[in-house]
Amino acid sequence: MSPTATADTGALPGAPAEPRTADADPAALFLPPDQAASPWCQVASLPPADFARMRRRAIFECFKWDPQVHDGGTLSAAPLVLRRSAWDELVPLAEALARELAAAEAELVGRPDLHRRLGLPGGVRAALREAARSGPTTGAARLVRFDFHHTEQGWRISEANSDVPGGLNEASGLPVLFAPHHPGTAAVGDPVARYVEALLAAAGPSPTIAFVHATAYSDDQQMLACVAQSLRAAGATTHFASPAHLRWRDGRAWLVADWWEGPLDLVVRFFPGEWLPGLPRGCGWRGLFAGGRTPVTNPATALLTQSKRFPLVWDALRTELPAWRALLPETRDPRDAPWRRDESWVLKPALGRVGDGIGLTGVVPPRELRRIRRAATWHPREWVAQRRFASQPLLHEGLPRHACLGVYTIDGRVAGAYGRVATRPLIDGDAQDAAVLVTDSVLRW
């Protein structure tokens, strides 16, 4: 996730007179400043006893194994409740972004001349050159999460999580637990169910599927365990594995492990793409980029749009990106932005995740900000400077909270949303997960 602070780039077009649809011109979908009213309904936290029961249910029913980090809880006692009209605004925006992302990524695979500009490691660039020569590995059930923030100018995104987007177990499970406590609300979708449908459609009947992930991280495995449970209920055989267990034979993926060896019908990758070159040379990580005929979700070529330096290659592409240009704040190479003297710029690592390494003046402690600025000065190709925007906090029991709404698309269609909230305008590892609900009512609970 990324911070809510990365600013607007100017006024946007007004709303069209015709009804909004997923196929509408993206430039006509954005709220003008005078219509950017709060999309949120105010709701109270659950009473402590009810929340304690909810927390236990989240652990055992929603695979939420990390309900506490250090001394802080990772679950919000209040859901994020969106007005129906706000959700109806977000759906076509996310789907427009997904269409443009897919087209840009397909073009970028064949443009090795642009890969260095994206700040990708040398090993990744070598694998991408092979994808350009022999063709990228087959993709399936393409999962992307767009992180939306509501601002004075309407909706903005801070990034797209197009490589290994997480949060599915919270996004599908928490609304089921919270909705009965808030009459008149409902979940905005069930991304786990939609994802499982897409995986089974790609893998065929009674498939064997490997969940390739960083096995040392339980917060990664908890989401995959949630998805695997639904797949097994539908007749699939699932294996949890490291990328070191993966091999490719004549373009087909094989799992080679102590407990099982054999061909796979589909690979679910939840191992960050930029980490892959650090694996032993003998394992099959390169097949996640190029030459694989076994479907992979997501193929590692997703790093091309995961990089926050993606906007730096837009002008070199044939692909039109009107939704991205309107919704993502202005982004520059750190050498081309006055971030040293102008606090309206934020520094971000090109391949940062979970809000780590964000240089946000006035929010990040001074010592950490100095470290970030040094890194961006010494290694500018690995960073971006991005305009700040001012998120509109929602009031919760009289106190402001900043919200990030991660809208999932699967094969280009919206499947649900993942909510996170924080007391400061930075959505990072200290933010809390929140159920996302929608209501037609304007009443407060």
Side-chain angles (χ1 to χ4, degrees), residues 59-96:
I59 294 170
F60 293 107
E61 297 176 30
C62 307
F63 295 83
K64 183 60 177 170
W65 300 337
D66 59 344
Q68 182 164 323
V69 174
H70 304 302
D71 293 329
T74 62
L75 286 174
S76 170
L80 288 171
V81 179
L82 273 170
R83 303 181 194 282
R84 177 75 63 178
S85 58
W87 180 245
D88 290 344
E89 294 283 350
L90 283 165
V91 169
L93 297 182
E95 293 184 351

PDB file of all heavy atoms in Angstrom, residues 59-96:
ATOM      1  N   ILE A  59      -9.810 -14.605  12.921  1.00  0.00           N
ATOM      2  CA  ILE A  59      -8.655 -15.498  12.949  1.00  0.00           C
ATOM      3  C   ILE A  59      -9.027 -16.866  12.387  1.00  0.00           C
ATOM      4  O   ILE A  59      -8.317 -17.416  11.531  1.00  0.00           O
ATOM      5  CB  ILE A  59      -8.121 -15.639  14.385  1.00  0.00           C
ATOM      6  CG1 ILE A  59      -7.558 -14.296  14.882  1.00  0.00           C
ATOM      7  CG2 ILE A  59      -7.053 -16.726  14.455  1.00  0.00           C
ATOM      8  CD1 ILE A  59      -7.239 -14.291  16.365  1.00  0.00           C
ATOM      9  N   PHE A  60     -10.134 -17.440  12.851  1.00  0.00           N
ATOM     10  CA  PHE A  60     -10.458 -18.828  12.523  1.00  0.00           C
ATOM     11  C   PHE A  60     -11.318 -18.984  11.270  1.00  0.00           C
ATOM     12  O   PHE A  60     -11.277 -20.035  10.635  1.00  0.00           O
ATOM     13  CB  PHE A  60     -11.147 -19.495  13.721  1.00  0.00           C
ATOM     14  CG  PHE A  60     -10.245 -19.655  14.903  1.00  0.00           C
ATOM     15  CD1 PHE A  60     -10.392 -18.851  16.025  1.00  0.00           C
ATOM     16  CD2 PHE A  60      -9.231 -20.591  14.894  1.00  0.00           C
ATOM     17  CE1 PHE A  60      -9.550 -18.989  17.117  1.00  0.00           C
ATOM     18  CE2 PHE A  60      -8.384 -20.735  15.984  1.00  0.00           C
ATOM     19  CZ  PHE A  60      -8.536 -19.933  17.099  1.00  0.00           C
ATOM     20  N   GLU A  61     -12.079 -17.952  10.905  1.00  0.00           N
ATOM     21  CA  GLU A  61     -12.959 -18.073   9.743  1.00  0.00           C
ATOM     22  C   GLU A  61     -12.420 -17.342   8.514  1.00  0.00           C
ATOM     23  O   GLU A  61     -12.785 -17.699   7.391  1.00  0.00           O
ATOM     24  CB  GLU A  61     -14.355 -17.530  10.087  1.00  0.00           C
ATOM     25  CG  GLU A  61     -15.043 -18.309  11.196  1.00  0.00           C
ATOM     26  CD  GLU A  61     -16.381 -17.695  11.577  1.00  0.00           C
ATOM     27  OE1 GLU A  61     -17.036 -17.090  10.704  1.00  0.00           O
ATOM     28  OE2 GLU A  61     -16.772 -17.816  12.761  1.00  0.00           O
ATOM     29  N   CYS A  62     -11.589 -16.328   8.736  1.00  0.00           N
ATOM     30  CA  CYS A  62     -11.105 -15.507   7.624  1.00  0.00           C
ATOM     31  C   CYS A  62      -9.598 -15.623   7.420  1.00  0.00           C
ATOM     32  O   CYS A  62      -9.027 -14.828   6.676  1.00  0.00           O
ATOM     33  CB  CYS A  62     -11.477 -14.039   7.847  1.00  0.00           C
ATOM     34  SG  CYS A  62     -13.214 -13.743   8.165  1.00  0.00           S
ATOM     35  N   PHE A  63      -8.970 -16.581   8.111  1.00  0.00           N
ATOM     36  CA  PHE A  63      -7.525 -16.788   7.971  1.00  0.00           C
ATOM     37  C   PHE A  63      -6.737 -15.527   8.324  1.00  0.00           C
ATOM     38  O   PHE A  63      -5.668 -15.290   7.781  1.00  0.00           O
ATOM     39  CB  PHE A  63      -7.176 -17.235   6.547  1.00  0.00           C
ATOM     40  CG  PHE A  63      -7.746 -18.582   6.187  1.00  0.00           C
ATOM     41  CD1 PHE A  63      -9.056 -18.705   5.740  1.00  0.00           C
ATOM     42  CD2 PHE A  63      -6.974 -19.729   6.304  1.00  0.00           C
ATOM     43  CE1 PHE A  63      -9.589 -19.950   5.415  1.00  0.00           C
ATOM     44  CE2 PHE A  63      -7.492 -20.979   5.977  1.00  0.00           C
ATOM     45  CZ  PHE A  63      -8.812 -21.088   5.535  1.00  0.00           C
ATOM     46  N   LYS A  64      -7.266 -14.715   9.224  1.00  0.00           N
ATOM     47  CA  LYS A  64      -6.583 -13.501   9.651  1.00  0.00           C
ATOM     48  C   LYS A  64      -5.681 -13.858  10.819  1.00  0.00           C
ATOM     49  O   LYS A  64      -6.018 -13.664  11.981  1.00  0.00           O
ATOM     50  CB  LYS A  64      -7.609 -12.416  10.041  1.00  0.00           C
ATOM     51  CG  LYS A  64      -6.976 -11.087  10.437  1.00  0.00           C
ATOM     52  CD  LYS A  64      -6.150 -10.491   9.328  1.00  0.00           C
ATOM     53  CE  LYS A  64      -5.590  -9.137   9.736  1.00  0.00           C
ATOM     54  NZ  LYS A  64      -4.590  -8.648   8.766  1.00  0.00           N
ATOM     55  N   TRP A  65      -4.484 -14.409  10.501  1.00  0.00           N
ATOM     56  CA  TRP A  65      -3.593 -14.938  11.528  1.00  0.00           C
ATOM     57  C   TRP A  65      -2.743 -13.872  12.201  1.00  0.00           C
ATOM     58  O   TRP A  65      -2.060 -14.159  13.181  1.00  0.00           O
ATOM     59  CB  TRP A  65      -2.674 -15.991  10.909  1.00  0.00           C
ATOM     60  CG  TRP A  65      -3.395 -17.149  10.299  1.00  0.00           C
ATOM     61  CD1 TRP A  65      -4.663 -17.578  10.597  1.00  0.00           C
ATOM     62  CD2 TRP A  65      -2.894 -18.030   9.299  1.00  0.00           C
ATOM     63  NE1 TRP A  65      -4.988 -18.668   9.833  1.00  0.00           N
ATOM     64  CE2 TRP A  65      -3.912 -18.966   9.021  1.00  0.00           C
ATOM     65  CE3 TRP A  65      -1.690 -18.121   8.596  1.00  0.00           C
ATOM     66  CZ2 TRP A  65      -3.750 -19.985   8.071  1.00  0.00           C
ATOM     67  CZ3 TRP A  65      -1.534 -19.134   7.657  1.00  0.00           C
ATOM     68  CH2 TRP A  65      -2.545 -20.050   7.407  1.00  0.00           C
ATOM     69  N   ASP A  66      -2.745 -12.666  11.657  1.00  0.00           N
ATOM     70  CA  ASP A  66      -1.921 -11.602  12.246  1.00  0.00           C
ATOM     71  C   ASP A  66      -2.789 -10.439  12.730  1.00  0.00           C
ATOM     72  O   ASP A  66      -2.676  -9.325  12.244  1.00  0.00           O
ATOM     73  CB  ASP A  66      -0.888 -11.106  11.226  1.00  0.00           C
ATOM     74  CG  ASP A  66      -1.531 -10.567   9.958  1.00  0.00           C
ATOM     75  OD1 ASP A  66      -2.731 -10.841   9.726  1.00  0.00           O
ATOM     76  OD2 ASP A  66      -0.850  -9.852   9.210  1.00  0.00           O
ATOM     77  N   PRO A  67      -3.673 -10.664  13.714  1.00  0.00           N
ATOM     78  CA  PRO A  67      -4.560  -9.591  14.168  1.00  0.00           C
ATOM     79  C   PRO A  67      -3.858  -8.553  15.026  1.00  0.00           C
ATOM     80  O   PRO A  67      -4.487  -7.577  15.448  1.00  0.00           O
ATOM     81  CB  PRO A  67      -5.624 -10.336  14.976  1.00  0.00           C
ATOM     82  CG  PRO A  67      -4.893 -11.512  15.518  1.00  0.00           C
ATOM     83  CD  PRO A  67      -3.938 -11.924  14.433  1.00  0.00           C
ATOM     84  N   GLN A  68      -2.566  -8.785  15.298  1.00  0.00           N
ATOM     85  CA  GLN A  68      -1.810  -7.807  16.080  1.00  0.00           C
ATOM     86  C   GLN A  68      -0.375  -7.756  15.573  1.00  0.00           C
ATOM     87  O   GLN A  68       0.239  -8.781  15.278  1.00  0.00           O
ATOM     88  CB  GLN A  68      -1.813  -8.160  17.570  1.00  0.00           C
ATOM     89  CG  GLN A  68      -1.079  -7.133  18.432  1.00  0.00           C
ATOM     90  CD  GLN A  68      -1.408  -7.282  19.899  1.00  0.00           C
ATOM     91  OE1 GLN A  68      -2.537  -7.577  20.261  1.00  0.00           O
ATOM     92  NE2 GLN A  68      -0.424  -7.066  20.756  1.00  0.00           N
ATOM     93  N   VAL A  69       0.167  -6.540  15.412  1.00  0.00           N
ATOM     94  CA  VAL A  69       1.568  -6.328  15.066  1.00  0.00           C
ATOM     95  C   VAL A  69       2.178  -5.446  16.142  1.00  0.00           C
ATOM     96  O   VAL A  69       1.667  -4.349  16.415  1.00  0.00           O
ATOM     97  CB  VAL A  69       1.714  -5.664  13.683  1.00  0.00           C
ATOM     98  CG1 VAL A  69       3.178  -5.322  13.414  1.00  0.00           C
ATOM     99  CG2 VAL A  69       1.192  -6.596  12.589  1.00  0.00           C
ATOM    100  N   HIS A  70       3.238  -5.927  16.786  1.00  0.00           N
ATOM    101  CA  HIS A  70       3.841  -5.229  17.920  1.00  0.00           C
ATOM    102  C   HIS A  70       2.763  -5.000  18.983  1.00  0.00           C
ATOM    103  O   HIS A  70       2.118  -5.939  19.425  1.00  0.00           O
ATOM    104  CB  HIS A  70       4.493  -3.926  17.460  1.00  0.00           C
ATOM    105  CG  HIS A  70       5.508  -4.125  16.377  1.00  0.00           C
ATOM    106  ND1 HIS A  70       6.606  -4.929  16.529  1.00  0.00           N
ATOM    107  CD2 HIS A  70       5.568  -3.627  15.094  1.00  0.00           C
ATOM    108  CE1 HIS A  70       7.326  -4.934  15.423  1.00  0.00           C
ATOM    109  NE2 HIS A  70       6.717  -4.159  14.529  1.00  0.00           N
ATOM    110  N   ASP A  71       2.522  -3.751  19.365  1.00  0.00           N
ATOM    111  CA  ASP A  71       1.529  -3.481  20.410  1.00  0.00           C
ATOM    112  C   ASP A  71       0.187  -3.017  19.837  1.00  0.00           C
ATOM    113  O   ASP A  71      -0.698  -2.616  20.590  1.00  0.00           O
ATOM    114  CB  ASP A  71       2.050  -2.397  21.365  1.00  0.00           C
ATOM    115  CG  ASP A  71       3.241  -2.871  22.181  1.00  0.00           C
ATOM    116  OD1 ASP A  71       3.308  -4.084  22.467  1.00  0.00           O
ATOM    117  OD2 ASP A  71       4.100  -2.040  22.522  1.00  0.00           O
ATOM    118  N   GLY A  72       0.048  -3.049  18.539  1.00  0.00           N
ATOM    119  CA  GLY A  72      -1.169  -2.523  17.932  1.00  0.00           C
ATOM    120  C   GLY A  72      -1.979  -3.599  17.223  1.00  0.00           C
ATOM    121  O   GLY A  72      -1.427  -4.523  16.619  1.00  0.00           O
ATOM    122  N   GLY A  73      -3.305  -3.473  17.294  1.00  0.00           N
ATOM    123  CA  GLY A  73      -4.192  -4.373  16.568  1.00  0.00           C
ATOM    124  C   GLY A  73      -4.235  -4.010  15.094  1.00  0.00           C
ATOM    125  O   GLY A  73      -4.138  -2.836  14.727  1.00  0.00           O
ATOM    126  N   THR A  74      -4.378  -5.014  14.242  1.00  0.00           N
ATOM    127  CA  THR A  74      -4.425  -4.776  12.804  1.00  0.00           C
ATOM    128  C   THR A  74      -5.841  -4.781  12.249  1.00  0.00           C
ATOM    129  O   THR A  74      -6.026  -4.647  11.039  1.00  0.00           O
ATOM    130  CB  THR A  74      -3.603  -5.840  12.059  1.00  0.00           C
ATOM    131  OG1 THR A  74      -4.178  -7.128  12.292  1.00  0.00           O
ATOM    132  CG2 THR A  74      -2.156  -5.845  12.530  1.00  0.00           C
ATOM    133  N   LEU A  75      -6.839  -4.927  13.120  1.00  0.00           N
ATOM    134  CA  LEU A  75      -8.232  -4.915  12.685  1.00  0.00           C
ATOM    135  C   LEU A  75      -8.932  -3.672  13.206  1.00  0.00           C
ATOM    136  O   LEU A  75      -8.807  -3.326  14.383  1.00  0.00           O
ATOM    137  CB  LEU A  75      -8.966  -6.153  13.189  1.00  0.00           C
ATOM    138  CG  LEU A  75      -8.648  -7.482  12.498  1.00  0.00           C
ATOM    139  CD1 LEU A  75      -9.352  -8.618  13.227  1.00  0.00           C
ATOM    140  CD2 LEU A  75      -9.086  -7.440  11.049  1.00  0.00           C
ATOM    141  N   SER A  76      -9.670  -3.017  12.338  1.00  0.00           N
ATOM    142  CA  SER A  76     -10.475  -1.876  12.756  1.00  0.00           C
ATOM    143  C   SER A  76     -11.789  -2.361  13.352  1.00  0.00           C
ATOM    144  O   SER A  76     -12.436  -3.264  12.800  1.00  0.00           O
ATOM    145  CB  SER A  76     -10.762  -0.968  11.554  1.00  0.00           C
ATOM    146  OG  SER A  76     -11.724   0.009  11.888  1.00  0.00           O
ATOM    147  N   ALA A  77     -12.185  -1.754  14.460  1.00  0.00           N
ATOM    148  CA  ALA A  77     -13.450  -2.129  15.108  1.00  0.00           C
ATOM    149  C   ALA A  77     -14.654  -1.531  14.406  1.00  0.00           C
ATOM    150  O   ALA A  77     -15.788  -1.823  14.767  1.00  0.00           O
ATOM    151  CB  ALA A  77     -13.435  -1.690  16.567  1.00  0.00           C
ATOM    152  N   ALA A  78     -14.423  -0.687  13.406  1.00  0.00           N
ATOM    153  CA  ALA A  78     -15.510  -0.108  12.617  1.00  0.00           C
ATOM    154  C   ALA A  78     -15.239  -0.365  11.145  1.00  0.00           C
ATOM    155  O   ALA A  78     -14.097  -0.294  10.692  1.00  0.00           O
ATOM    156  CB  ALA A  78     -15.623   1.396  12.858  1.00  0.00           C
ATOM    157  N   PRO A  79     -16.264  -0.682  10.369  1.00  0.00           N
ATOM    158  CA  PRO A  79     -16.064  -0.895   8.944  1.00  0.00           C
ATOM    159  C   PRO A  79     -15.978   0.432   8.195  1.00  0.00           C
ATOM    160  O   PRO A  79     -16.302   1.493   8.733  1.00  0.00           O
ATOM    161  CB  PRO A  79     -17.320  -1.667   8.528  1.00  0.00           C
ATOM    162  CG  PRO A  79     -18.380  -1.128   9.453  1.00  0.00           C
ATOM    163  CD  PRO A  79     -17.671  -0.883  10.775  1.00  0.00           C
ATOM    164  N   LEU A  80     -15.534   0.377   6.957  1.00  0.00           N
ATOM    165  CA  LEU A  80     -15.673   1.492   6.025  1.00  0.00           C
ATOM    166  C   LEU A  80     -16.982   1.292   5.270  1.00  0.00           C
ATOM    167  O   LEU A  80     -17.166   0.271   4.600  1.00  0.00           O
ATOM    168  CB  LEU A  80     -14.508   1.510   5.033  1.00  0.00           C
ATOM    169  CG  LEU A  80     -13.148   1.945   5.573  1.00  0.00           C
ATOM    170  CD1 LEU A  80     -12.062   1.701   4.530  1.00  0.00           C
ATOM    171  CD2 LEU A  80     -13.173   3.423   5.971  1.00  0.00           C
ATOM    172  N   VAL A  81     -17.902   2.250   5.415  1.00  0.00           N
ATOM    173  CA  VAL A  81     -19.204   2.138   4.762  1.00  0.00           C
ATOM    174  C   VAL A  81     -19.288   3.204   3.676  1.00  0.00           C
ATOM    175  O   VAL A  81     -19.259   4.405   3.962  1.00  0.00           O
ATOM    176  CB  VAL A  81     -20.356   2.272   5.770  1.00  0.00           C
ATOM    177  CG1 VAL A  81     -21.695   2.164   5.044  1.00  0.00           C
ATOM    178  CG2 VAL A  81     -20.255   1.191   6.845  1.00  0.00           C
ATOM    179  N   LEU A  82     -19.375   2.764   2.449  1.00  0.00           N
ATOM    180  CA  LEU A  82     -19.460   3.644   1.283  1.00  0.00           C
ATOM    181  C   LEU A  82     -20.911   3.864   0.888  1.00  0.00           C
ATOM    182  O   LEU A  82     -21.743   2.949   0.964  1.00  0.00           O
ATOM    183  CB  LEU A  82     -18.767   2.998   0.089  1.00  0.00           C
ATOM    184  CG  LEU A  82     -17.282   3.175  -0.126  1.00  0.00           C
ATOM    185  CD1 LEU A  82     -16.834   2.222  -1.223  1.00  0.00           C
ATOM    186  CD2 LEU A  82     -16.965   4.610  -0.515  1.00  0.00           C
ATOM    187  N   ARG A  83     -21.197   5.072   0.449  1.00  0.00           N
ATOM    188  CA  ARG A  83     -22.492   5.307  -0.192  1.00  0.00           C
ATOM    189  C   ARG A  83     -22.519   4.578  -1.529  1.00  0.00           C
ATOM    190  O   ARG A  83     -21.509   4.491  -2.221  1.00  0.00           O
ATOM    191  CB  ARG A  83     -22.720   6.798  -0.387  1.00  0.00           C
ATOM    192  CG  ARG A  83     -22.637   7.580   0.915  1.00  0.00           C
ATOM    193  CD  ARG A  83     -22.901   9.058   0.701  1.00  0.00           C
ATOM    194  NE  ARG A  83     -22.500   9.821   1.874  1.00  0.00           N
ATOM    195  CZ  ARG A  83     -23.205   9.914   3.006  1.00  0.00           C
ATOM    196  NH1 ARG A  83     -24.357   9.282   3.096  1.00  0.00           N
ATOM    197  NH2 ARG A  83     -22.752  10.605   4.034  1.00  0.00           N
ATOM    198  N   ARG A  84     -23.674   4.065  -1.901  1.00  0.00           N
ATOM    199  CA  ARG A  84     -23.796   3.317  -3.142  1.00  0.00           C
ATOM    200  C   ARG A  84     -23.339   4.143  -4.337  1.00  0.00           C
ATOM    201  O   ARG A  84     -22.675   3.637  -5.247  1.00  0.00           O
ATOM    202  CB  ARG A  84     -25.255   2.877  -3.339  1.00  0.00           C
ATOM    203  CG  ARG A  84     -25.520   2.142  -4.651  1.00  0.00           C
ATOM    204  CD  ARG A  84     -24.998   0.729  -4.649  1.00  0.00           C
ATOM    205  NE  ARG A  84     -25.673  -0.062  -3.625  1.00  0.00           N
ATOM    206  CZ  ARG A  84     -25.439  -1.361  -3.432  1.00  0.00           C
ATOM    207  NH1 ARG A  84     -24.531  -1.981  -4.158  1.00  0.00           N
ATOM    208  NH2 ARG A  84     -26.073  -2.026  -2.479  1.00  0.00           N
ATOM    209  N   SER A  85     -23.654   5.410  -4.337  1.00  0.00           N
ATOM    210  CA  SER A  85     -23.263   6.258  -5.465  1.00  0.00           C
ATOM    211  C   SER A  85     -21.738   6.347  -5.590  1.00  0.00           C
ATOM    212  O   SER A  85     -21.202   6.419  -6.704  1.00  0.00           O
ATOM    213  CB  SER A  85     -23.856   7.660  -5.304  1.00  0.00           C
ATOM    214  OG  SER A  85     -23.422   8.253  -4.083  1.00  0.00           O
ATOM    215  N   ALA A  86     -21.032   6.328  -4.451  1.00  0.00           N
ATOM    216  CA  ALA A  86     -19.568   6.384  -4.493  1.00  0.00           C
ATOM    217  C   ALA A  86     -18.996   5.101  -5.087  1.00  0.00           C
ATOM    218  O   ALA A  86     -18.054   5.146  -5.895  1.00  0.00           O
ATOM    219  CB  ALA A  86     -19.013   6.620  -3.093  1.00  0.00           C
ATOM    220  N   TRP A  87     -19.531   3.953  -4.685  1.00  0.00           N
ATOM    221  CA  TRP A  87     -19.061   2.695  -5.253  1.00  0.00           C
ATOM    222  C   TRP A  87     -19.342   2.634  -6.760  1.00  0.00           C
ATOM    223  O   TRP A  87     -18.517   2.161  -7.547  1.00  0.00           O
ATOM    224  CB  TRP A  87     -19.707   1.517  -4.541  1.00  0.00           C
ATOM    225  CG  TRP A  87     -19.263   0.176  -5.068  1.00  0.00           C
ATOM    226  CD1 TRP A  87     -20.027  -0.752  -5.699  1.00  0.00           C
ATOM    227  CD2 TRP A  87     -17.940  -0.378  -5.002  1.00  0.00           C
ATOM    228  NE1 TRP A  87     -19.272  -1.852  -6.043  1.00  0.00           N
ATOM    229  CE2 TRP A  87     -17.981  -1.645  -5.621  1.00  0.00           C
ATOM    230  CE3 TRP A  87     -16.728   0.075  -4.481  1.00  0.00           C
ATOM    231  CZ2 TRP A  87     -16.856  -2.463  -5.736  1.00  0.00           C
ATOM    232  CZ3 TRP A  87     -15.604  -0.731  -4.602  1.00  0.00           C
ATOM    233  CH2 TRP A  87     -15.677  -1.985  -5.216  1.00  0.00           C
ATOM    234  N   ASP A  88     -20.504   3.148  -7.156  1.00  0.00           N
ATOM    235  CA  ASP A  88     -20.826   3.180  -8.583  1.00  0.00           C
ATOM    236  C   ASP A  88     -19.861   4.067  -9.361  1.00  0.00           C
ATOM    237  O   ASP A  88     -19.659   3.864 -10.559  1.00  0.00           O
ATOM    238  CB  ASP A  88     -22.264   3.662  -8.784  1.00  0.00           C
ATOM    239  CG  ASP A  88     -23.302   2.646  -8.309  1.00  0.00           C
ATOM    240  OD1 ASP A  88     -22.924   1.469  -8.106  1.00  0.00           O
ATOM    241  OD2 ASP A  88     -24.473   3.030  -8.123  1.00  0.00           O
ATOM    242  N   GLU A  89     -19.272   5.064  -8.711  1.00  0.00           N
ATOM    243  CA  GLU A  89     -18.240   5.882  -9.348  1.00  0.00           C
ATOM    244  C   GLU A  89     -16.937   5.094  -9.510  1.00  0.00           C
ATOM    245  O   GLU A  89     -16.236   5.209 -10.515  1.00  0.00           O
ATOM    246  CB  GLU A  89     -17.952   7.139  -8.514  1.00  0.00           C
ATOM    247  CG  GLU A  89     -19.094   8.134  -8.423  1.00  0.00           C
ATOM    248  CD  GLU A  89     -19.245   8.976  -9.681  1.00  0.00           C
ATOM    249  OE1 GLU A  89     -18.341   8.914 -10.538  1.00  0.00           O
ATOM    250  OE2 GLU A  89     -20.264   9.662  -9.799  1.00  0.00           O
ATOM    251  N   LEU A  90     -16.609   4.306  -8.496  1.00  0.00           N
ATOM    252  CA  LEU A  90     -15.317   3.632  -8.478  1.00  0.00           C
ATOM    253  C   LEU A  90     -15.232   2.488  -9.479  1.00  0.00           C
ATOM    254  O   LEU A  90     -14.161   2.244 -10.052  1.00  0.00           O
ATOM    255  CB  LEU A  90     -15.040   3.094  -7.072  1.00  0.00           C
ATOM    256  CG  LEU A  90     -14.585   4.127  -6.043  1.00  0.00           C
ATOM    257  CD1 LEU A  90     -14.691   3.560  -4.643  1.00  0.00           C
ATOM    258  CD2 LEU A  90     -13.148   4.542  -6.336  1.00  0.00           C
ATOM    259  N   VAL A  91     -16.309   1.766  -9.689  1.00  0.00           N
ATOM    260  CA  VAL A  91     -16.262   0.579 -10.541  1.00  0.00           C
ATOM    261  C   VAL A  91     -15.766   0.894 -11.952  1.00  0.00           C
ATOM    262  O   VAL A  91     -14.808   0.275 -12.433  1.00  0.00           O
ATOM    263  CB  VAL A  91     -17.622  -0.136 -10.558  1.00  0.00           C
ATOM    264  CG1 VAL A  91     -17.659  -1.212 -11.646  1.00  0.00           C
ATOM    265  CG2 VAL A  91     -17.909  -0.765  -9.196  1.00  0.00           C
ATOM    266  N   PRO A  92     -16.358   1.859 -12.661  1.00  0.00           N
ATOM    267  CA  PRO A  92     -15.840   2.134 -14.013  1.00  0.00           C
ATOM    268  C   PRO A  92     -14.433   2.712 -14.011  1.00  0.00           C
ATOM    269  O   PRO A  92     -13.685   2.503 -14.964  1.00  0.00           O
ATOM    270  CB  PRO A  92     -16.854   3.128 -14.594  1.00  0.00           C
ATOM    271  CG  PRO A  92     -17.543   3.720 -13.419  1.00  0.00           C
ATOM    272  CD  PRO A  92     -17.565   2.667 -12.372  1.00  0.00           C
ATOM    273  N   LEU A  93     -14.066   3.443 -12.965  1.00  0.00           N
ATOM    274  CA  LEU A  93     -12.702   3.964 -12.894  1.00  0.00           C
ATOM    275  C   LEU A  93     -11.694   2.818 -12.815  1.00  0.00           C
ATOM    276  O   LEU A  93     -10.688   2.795 -13.544  1.00  0.00           O
ATOM    277  CB  LEU A  93     -12.536   4.875 -11.684  1.00  0.00           C
ATOM    278  CG  LEU A  93     -13.372   6.159 -11.639  1.00  0.00           C
ATOM    279  CD1 LEU A  93     -13.038   6.945 -10.383  1.00  0.00           C
ATOM    280  CD2 LEU A  93     -13.148   7.001 -12.871  1.00  0.00           C
ATOM    281  N   ALA A  94     -11.934   1.860 -11.917  1.00  0.00           N
ATOM    282  CA  ALA A  94     -11.015   0.738 -11.756  1.00  0.00           C
ATOM    283  C   ALA A  94     -10.946  -0.108 -13.023  1.00  0.00           C
ATOM    284  O   ALA A  94      -9.861  -0.566 -13.426  1.00  0.00           O
ATOM    285  CB  ALA A  94     -11.438  -0.123 -10.562  1.00  0.00           C
ATOM    286  N   GLU A  95     -12.078  -0.301 -13.674  1.00  0.00           N
ATOM    287  CA  GLU A  95     -12.073  -1.123 -14.879  1.00  0.00           C
ATOM    288  C   GLU A  95     -11.387  -0.411 -16.043  1.00  0.00           C
ATOM    289  O   GLU A  95     -10.723  -1.063 -16.868  1.00  0.00           O
ATOM    290  CB  GLU A  95     -13.491  -1.553 -15.220  1.00  0.00           C
ATOM    291  CG  GLU A  95     -14.048  -2.508 -14.160  1.00  0.00           C
ATOM    292  CD  GLU A  95     -15.423  -3.050 -14.467  1.00  0.00           C
ATOM    293  OE1 GLU A  95     -16.067  -2.563 -15.439  1.00  0.00           O
ATOM    294  OE2 GLU A  95     -15.873  -3.969 -13.753  1.00  0.00           O
ATOM    295  N   ALA A  96     -11.496   0.903 -16.108  1.00  0.00           N
ATOM    296  CA  ALA A  96     -10.755   1.651 -17.124  1.00  0.00           C
ATOM    297  C   ALA A  96      -9.255   1.544 -16.871  1.00  0.00           C
ATOM    298  O   ALA A  96      -8.462   1.338 -17.797  1.00  0.00           O
ATOM    299  CB  ALA A  96     -11.195   3.113 -17.128  1.00  0.00           C
TER     300      ALA A  96
END
